[in-house]
Amino acid sequence: MAGLSLLLAGCGVLGGEDVLPEGGIDYQLGGAYPPPDGVTTVVRDSTAEPAPGIYSVCYVNGFQTQPGASESWLDADLVLLDEDGEPVADPGWPDEMLLDTSTDTKRGRIAQVLGETIDRCSEAGFDAVEFDNLDSYLRSGDALTVDDNLALAEEIVALAHEDGLDTGQKNAAEVAQRARDEAGFDFAVTESCAAWAECPAYTEVYGSDVIAVEYPGDLDDAGTNFDVECENPDVPSRFVLRDLDLVEPGHPGYVYAEC
């Protein structure tokens, strides 16, 4: 499938055609399961297997540590530390620590580690990789900059392209144009862009190559709902409602809907 990805990526850049296939999407980070009928694109964690016969995107935490996997990053001195020498965690996900992207040397070493995961995604048969937490610099107390993170993004996007994988920018609406132009991302994955009125920031850069995931709670907080947003001309064509924990069917909290 990686060979197909290279062809699709080339069409997206040169011919104006979509990188992502037409059809439905599913976002399965909480557990892999057979996709609903009509789904042609599935995002799964890097520890899972790709969906057979379906364009499959491999989730990689590119700028923060995975929950439960911080020790090796700490031992390698690649976690951002505060003035007291304590690791800086994501306030929303306190079991994730920010990677220190502040120097060329550290970015190169981070990219080397992430390259092993990218290789696994390719070897498993994924078509693309999504790099999460591009916006970690916003949670760094000004210790990191957008330039730091885009510089790392450029390195890991290049590694993925070398493996024949398309690459997805995750969130960070404010830097979408730079992310595509400077880092070379092929498509975008966005959470709650309808709830936060950010969808055009992605579609103006990536066209229809946008995977948009909405969550019921964020829509409620914004005073809207999925049915209303399905009629919103600003939302991407690849638009799905999922539960926040992204659980599997059969779980009482499971939510899945498409327009």
Side-chain angles (χ1 to χ4, degrees), residues 21-27 35-42 210-214 226-227 229-231 236-242 254-259:
E22 293 185 3
I25 60 172
D26 198 3
Y27 204 58
D37 291 343
V39 166
T40 59
T41 299
V42 171
V210 179
I211 296 172
V213 184
E214 294 293 324
F226 191 67
D227 290 339
E229 295 307 322
C230 280
E231 302 300 321
S237 58
R238 296 170 176 85
F239 191 59
V240 65
L241 182 71
R242 284 300 329 262
Y254 175 74
V255 173
Y256 176 89
E258 279 204 295
C259 296

Side-chain angles (χ1 to χ4, degrees), residues 60-62 73 99 110-119 152 156:
V60 175
N61 203 338
W73 291 104
L99 298 180
I110 292 168
Q112 183 176 16
V113 175
L114 292 176
E116 298 176 4
T117 303
I118 295 166
D119 288 345
L152 173 60
I156 57 181

